[in-house]
Amino acid sequence: HAKQSGRNAYRFFTEAMNVSTLERLTLQQRLHQALERQELVLYYQPQLDLASGRVVGVEALLRWRTPEGLVPPGKFIPLAEETGLIVPMGAWVIQEACRQARTWLDAGLPPMTMAVNLSALQFHRDNLLITVGDALSAASLPAASLELELTESILIQDAEATLATLKAMNAMGVLLSIDDFGTGYSSLAYLKRFTVDKLKIDQSFVRDITSDGDSAAIVRAVVQMASSLKLKTIAEGVETESQAAALRATGCDEVQGYLYARPMPAAECEAYLRGKA
Ligand code: C2E
Ligand code: MG
Ligand code: MG
Ligand code: MG
């Protein structure tokens, strides 16, 4: 009888819950084991100088390799943030990206920057300076080889602590960029307050640059402002030659997108980099 009612209780439980909640719980449990089971991998997407076509950097993008296939970050990063798991996960990303950058230097590939995404929680919870410093020294990597991609949401939180951390990053020599620029709260005041090196123009503006005059105007304005502030610009999500041409006309420095290369596993990216070298 106990077994029978147990089964009924279970059935009631599942029927009462919506599927996405159940899916989330399962994902959450499995995500906890992903790090120790070494199911996390980094893909790398090249970043090119628009004028010369040379690769000047790569962005590390996290993937979760499960038996059912590759899970994109949009599916698990929000969960990792909710559970705080993003902190150890993000530390692993920094270590692994630095290790890979060192491997490519040792293999004789031309020096380039390795860009890593940071989440707001990681920025405020973790002792990020120690994580970054340890990763750089473990890989014997110059600080200027590492670029940290910040989001606008990081910059609007806890301004004093953020400022102190960013200043320490500057002092270390690590490069800083603002990801998805133009989609957040877009207070331009933080460009004056925080020392960043590069703005990453969000792909939504790039997507519409050839069809929508407003997007084109926004890109032009961002590039001009960046140039006056001595910041570099990179356009994300470049998919077509006509987008590249429109970007070239604005004076944008760098490009990243499927037109040039998709995010790739390390070995494939290395082959691409050798082909371009
Ligand atoms: P993001 O940093 O803005 O990365 C750019 C995203 O655009 C990537 O998606 C990339 O695969 C995609 N992309 C690149 N070129 C193109 C293109 O030409 N067209 C289109 N439609 N998409 C393109 P992905 O890899 O799925 O990553 C999504 C987001 O997840 C990232 O956006 C970033 O915010 C976050 N993320 C990825 N890895 C990490 C990580 O290690 N830590 C943290 N905290 N967040 C990460
Ligand atoms: Mg990014
Ligand atoms: Mg972005
Ligand atoms: Mg994005």
Side-chain angles (χ1 to χ4, degrees):
H1 286 299
K3 209 172 186 178
Q4 187 65 36
S5 69
R7 184 174 300 155
N8 286 340
Y10 174 73
R11 187 174 296 155
F12 171 77
F13 186 58
T14 57
E15 279 166 9
M17 279 169 84
N18 71 49
V19 177
S20 74
T21 308
L22 189 64
E23 196 185 49
R24 275 163 51 87
L25 279 174
T26 312
L27 270 176
Q28 226 171 72
Q29 283 162 359
R30 292 181 51 188
L31 198 51
H32 268 285
Q33 299 164 328
L35 247 180
E36 59 200 48
R37 289 188 183 168
Q38 300 183 306
E39 291 176 342
L40 297 179
V41 282
L42 291 181
Y43 274 40
Y44 300 90
Q45 186 177 35
Q47 302 177 322
L48 287 77
D49 177 77
L50 188 48
S52 69
R54 273 213 295 272
V55 178
V56 289
V58 293
E59 178 176 4
L61 293 157
L62 190 56
R63 301 287 182 266
W64 177 16
R65 214 191 282 282
T66 70
E68 293 82 33
L70 219 54
V71 186
K75 284 238 164 164
F76 66 89
I77 296 227
L79 262 180
E81 280 170 340
E82 277 171 42
T83 55
L85 206 62
I86 193 69
V87 173
M89 239 183 214
W92 177 84
V93 169
I94 294 169
Q95 285 154 24
E96 177 64 12
C98 288
R99 192 199 57 74
Q100 186 62 63
R102 163 49 60 196
T103 301
W104 282 335
L105 276 179
D106 289 346
L109 290 171
M112 56 193 156
T113 56
M114 172 63 75
V116 168
N117 293 282
L118 292 185
S119 90
L121 194 73
Q122 192 184 358
F123 197 88
H124 299 296
R125 275 261 183 92
D126 190 16
N127 202 334
L128 196 58
L129 288 170
I130 292 179
T131 301
V132 168
D134 285 353
L136 288 171
S137 54
S140 310
L141 197 69
S145 301
L146 182 66
E147 177 180 318
L148 300 175
E149 296 194 2
L150 315 170
T151 57
E152 291 174 285
S153 65
I154 293 177
L155 301 176
I156 59 162
Q157 286 176 35
D158 198 5
E160 286 314 312
T162 302
L163 188 60
T165 306
L166 294 181
K167 283 206 161 134
M169 295 288 185
N170 289 149
M172 253 169 118
V174 170
L175 302 173
L176 301 173
S177 61
I178 302 181
D179 205 352
D180 305 335
F181 187 78
T183 58
Y185 295 88
S186 285
S187 156
L188 297 180
Y190 57 60
L191 291 181
K192 195 177 151 202
R193 197 164 150 74
F194 303 120
T195 324
V196 299
D197 302 281
K198 196 192 274 189
L199 302 182
K200 299 198 74 180
I201 301 169
D202 190 65
Q203 49 190 65
S204 59
F205 304 116
V206 176
R207 193 193 312 122
D208 299 336
I209 193 170
T210 53
S211 58
D212 168 29
D214 290 345
S215 291
I218 289 171
V219 174
R220 268 198 307 277
V222 170
V223 170
Q224 275 167 28
M225 176 186 65
S227 141
S228 315
L229 295 170
K230 309 250 181 335
L231 305 177
K232 285 206 160 181
T233 44
I234 180 166
E236 296 192 90
V238 183
E239 294 183 351
T240 67
E241 290 290 357
S242 53
Q243 288 168 348
L247 287 162
R248 202 170 282 119
T250 69
C252 179
D253 298 303
E254 298 172 7
V255 281
Q256 176 180 353
Y258 297 167
L259 176 62
Y260 309 98
R262 291 185 173 254
M264 300 169 273
E268 219 177 292
C269 188
E270 183 173 332
Y272 174 92
L273 296 171
R274 282 191 194 290
K276 295 282 284 184

